[in-house]
Amino acid sequence: MPSPKIHPRQALFDSDEVAPLLPVCDHYAGVEVRMRKSLALQAEKGPVFDVTLDCEDGAPIGGEVEHAHLVAELAMSDANRFGRVGARVHPVDHPAFERELDTLIGRAGSRLAYLMVPKPRHFADVKRACDEIDHFVRVHPGARHLPIHFLIETHGALRDVDSIAAHPRVESLSFGLMDFVSAHRGAIPSQGMSAKGQFTHPLVLRAKLEIAAACHAHRKTPSHCVVTEFSDQRAIQEAATKASSELGYTRMWSIHPNQIEPIVDAFAPTAAEVDLAMEIITQAQAADWAPIRHRDTLHDRASFRYFWHVLERAQRTGQALPASVREAFFE
């Protein structure tokens, strides 16, 4: 009787090596009409992108708690079809921070996919935010153990980025381009915030690389920053391709619905890559994950891991996979 086939996640990774599998696009919306349209678009296209409902930039001054109630209502509604809706709150030192957490976790803690916390100034802010979130999770029955994302956009957070990425409550780190450039008091020209300039200025590029490296070292998801030229499809496509293929990012922000599809396309593997990955992973599994020869090339566990990640990206970006592959690996 043949032995049962071992799944790649069991055969190729230790339990502490498995990273979270997040959609490759994180779409932000803060105004009510845009939040509702974003949820409708997600329902149409499927969970190939997350929707982050924005309390920081979406709430009017003085109306932060009311806006948090609206975000919680949307997260709990049928519009949150796939459970892939998160929320961005205010920074830890903002007067509304704790009231937002109380509202969001108390009213929607069972349905939110994550919370995004912007502008930590250092590791201590990250620890405080995590402790506050966990406090409200404990006091509100039914709230889930919410994953926490942070936005790295200050000098202190970049200095502490390895410690931040190592925190066990952190799931993903994003780069906050605009505030990071502004924090340099004019030393980085405005071109450093553009679609092209953000990939050429050394200080900006250094920040991106340090965030990506820290995330991969601690098996967290690095999320690339915005492209503000949202009507320029070529600009977003080029930026997403560079972020994915050159800087090691596995996720990227969208700030306009027109940006979602180019980001998903750029982060998806090519058809040829997927075909090769299916062949190698299927052959390796049949060999009980011993080294194999494929097209006159030797493959072992190291390359098996690489090609398994290709298949995972294909699945996360909604690519059509053969039924046999879906059944064997993703169902």
Side-chain angles (χ1 to χ4, degrees):
M1 181 176 179
S3 59
K5 294 181 179 180
I6 303 175
H7 194 276
R9 292 196 192 102
Q10 295 174 297
L12 303 177
F13 303 93
D14 294 332
S15 59
D16 63 348
E17 292 180 318
V18 179
L21 300 178
L22 302 181
V24 299
C25 181
D26 184 9
H27 179 65
Y28 275 70
V31 178
E32 181 175 0
V33 64
R34 293 174 186 164
M35 291 193 289
R36 293 186 183 278
K37 286 182 178 179
S38 298
L39 293 172
L41 187 62
Q42 187 190 56
E44 174 189 335
K45 291 185 175 293
V48 295
F49 67 95
D50 280 343
V51 174
T52 299
L53 304 177
D54 195 353
C55 292
E56 185 189 22
D57 288 343
I61 295 175
E64 292 88 357
V65 175
E66 292 78 4
H67 192 77
H69 277 277
L70 171 61
V71 167
E73 176 188 328
L74 292 173
M76 290 298 292
S77 72
D78 292 340
N80 182 7
R81 183 173 298 183
F82 306 105
R84 292 307 311 173
V85 172
R88 175 164 70 162
V89 297
H90 280 80
V92 293
D93 58 344
H94 192 279
F97 177 70
E98 291 186 11
R99 290 180 296 160
E100 278 180 343
L101 292 185
D102 193 19
T103 300
L104 290 170
I105 296 173
R107 293 174 59 89
S110 63
R111 289 283 284 154
L112 284 169
Y114 53 86
L115 289 174
M116 162 64 80
V117 182
K119 297 180 180 63
R121 297 159 296 182
H122 34 58
F123 178 75
D125 277 354
V126 168
K127 185 178 185 304
R128 175 186 165 189
C130 292
D131 290 345
E132 291 281 0
I133 290 169
D134 287 345
H135 163 73
F136 285 109
V137 167
R138 286 193 298 271
V139 301
H140 287 294
R144 61 191 294 259
H145 192 59
L146 283 168
I148 308 173
H149 300 185
F150 285 93
L151 189 53
I152 306 300
E153 49 193 331
T154 67
H155 296 297
L158 184 62
R159 181 194 62 233
D160 293 347
V161 70
D162 191 74
S163 297
I164 294 171
H167 194 292
R169 293 292 283 113
V170 172
E171 181 178 61
S172 175
L173 297 180
S174 296
F175 176 49
L177 172 68
M178 314 301 283
D179 282 279
F180 181 77
V181 171
S182 297
H184 285 77
R185 300 174 298 164
I188 299 176
S190 61
Q191 184 67 14
M193 295 185 284
S194 69
K196 291 185 178 180
Q198 64 172 280
F199 289 96
T200 57
H201 195 285
L203 286 173
V204 178
L205 200 55
R206 162 185 166 259
K208 292 185 181 188
L209 291 171
E210 290 194 10
I211 292 167
C215 283
H216 288 298
H218 298 287
R219 292 171 293 282
K220 308 300 171 67
T221 298
S223 186
H224 193 264
C225 60
V226 299
V227 170
T228 56
E229 299 92 328
F230 55 80
S231 296
D232 189 337
Q233 292 292 288
R234 181 174 178 180
I236 186 66
Q237 186 76 44
E238 290 179 353
T241 300
K242 284 179 178 290
S244 174
S245 63
E246 297 179 17
L247 303 185
Y249 281 80
T250 57
R251 182 171 163 98
M252 184 168 174
W253 282 39
S254 159
I255 55 172
H256 191 280
N258 290 343
Q259 295 183 327
I260 295 172
E261 188 171 340
I263 290 173
V264 173
D265 288 346
F267 278 77
T270 66
E273 289 174 320
V274 175
D275 288 343
L276 179 61
M278 289 190 294
E279 292 176 10
I280 290 174
I281 292 300
T282 301
Q283 185 178 338
Q285 188 184 55
D288 290 328
W289 306 105
I292 64 169
R293 175 180 174 177
H294 180 269
R295 300 184 190 174
D296 292 327
T297 300
L298 176 67
H299 292 281
D300 59 13
R301 289 173 63 87
S303 55
F304 296 160
R305 287 177 179 225
Y306 171 82
F307 288 108
W308 170 244
H309 289 314
V310 171
L311 280 188
E312 285 187 321
R313 276 194 296 126
Q315 194 267 342
R316 293 204 313 277
T317 51
Q319 296 197 34
L321 297 173
S324 59
V325 172
R326 293 199 311 272
E327 292 168 3
F329 301 123
F330 298 110
E331 294 181 2

